[in-house]
Amino acid sequence: MIARDATGRAMSDDVIGQKLPSKTQKKREMHELQALGTALVGLSESLLGELALDANLRQAVLEAKRIKSHEAKRRQMQYIGRLMRDIDPAPLRSQLDALTGHSSVEIARHKRLEALREKLLADDTALTDYVSAHAGADLQELRTLIRNARREQKEGKPPRAFRELFRRLKALDARAAPQG
């Protein structure tokens, strides 16, 4: 007996043995692509420039950022979702996670830098160890930031130097990461 599909056409042996994705599964995948497109539209143009995007997709995302009308934006988002069907979303998703800090590597890096900052604030010898390990670190600048952060904590002031110290450590870590 010959197997037939819903329209009555004869199906080949290749199609019979495969489990085709259901309509629900296809819709779920399309919604995920549209959500990824929405995340792309939410990025700043400078962050978009860092992503490896197809030229048509990049143009569509920039156009969606410009559109103000609700219905036009909805149609543009569907268009972005359609364009994304033609690309592999996994590398794009991993790049986006790395940029927005949602990847496990970025989270671990953030926690490591926070622990380093706390260690530098608690122990003076930790600064000399850090500077000797990181050649590009400016000892005087880091010492000033640590002193100011300690003063801010003691006086209950807003943590401006505390945050600036973290930014400097992050920049130094980013410079050291490509080398080693």
Side-chain angles (χ1 to χ4, degrees):
M1 176 173 241
I2 298 175
R4 302 200 178 267
D5 65 6
T7 62
R9 291 181 296 186
M11 296 190 317
S12 68
D13 291 337
D14 297 345
V15 175
I16 294 171
Q18 288 181 347
K19 174 99 171 137
L20 297 175
S22 68
K23 183 177 178 182
T24 304
Q25 179 63 30
K26 288 180 183 177
K27 285 177 76 173
R28 186 178 303 123
E29 290 171 1
M30 294 307 114
H31 285 297
E32 288 174 5
L33 290 176
Q34 281 186 336
L36 185 58
T38 302
L40 289 175
V41 171
L43 290 177
S44 67
E45 289 187 26
S46 63
L47 288 177
L48 272 175
E50 295 179 27
L51 292 174
L53 292 177
D54 178 53
N56 291 335
L57 181 59
R58 182 182 309 280
Q59 187 62 36
V61 168
L62 292 173
E63 183 69 20
K65 292 172 85 55
R66 190 184 62 77
I67 294 174
K68 299 294 182 217
S69 168
H70 175 73
E71 184 62 20
K73 188 171 219 111
R74 185 191 66 78
R75 284 192 310 269
Q76 185 70 13
M77 294 307 296
Q78 285 185 332
Y79 175 64
I80 290 171
R82 196 199 77 49
L83 287 176
M84 292 185 69
R85 281 186 244 161
D86 300 334
I87 64 167
D88 183 19
L92 182 60
R93 189 170 286 125
S94 65
Q95 288 178 9
L96 184 63
D97 287 345
L99 280 178
T100 58
H102 292 133
S103 71
S104 59
V105 173
E106 283 298 311
I107 291 170
R109 177 177 176 241
H110 187 83
K111 287 183 179 183
R112 183 175 46 81
L113 290 173
E114 283 180 337
L116 176 62
R117 176 180 60 186
E118 292 301 324
K119 183 179 173 185
L120 290 173
L121 289 173
D123 185 18
D124 290 329
T125 59
L127 178 61
T128 54
D129 295 339
Y130 180 78
V131 171
S132 65
H134 294 80
D138 182 9
L139 177 66
Q140 188 61 38
E141 180 185 28
L142 290 174
R143 187 173 285 143
T144 303
L145 286 172
I146 290 170
R147 184 178 344 105
N148 291 343
R150 287 176 180 161
R151 187 180 315 125
E152 286 171 353
Q153 286 178 342
K154 188 168 64 173
E155 295 174 1
K157 290 185 175 181
R160 190 191 64 75
F162 187 74
R163 291 179 182 143
E164 184 62 28
L165 177 61
F166 183 81
R167 284 199 272 312
R168 291 284 191 257
L169 293 174
K170 189 174 180 180
L172 287 169
D173 188 61
R175 255 191 278 156
Q179 298 167 356

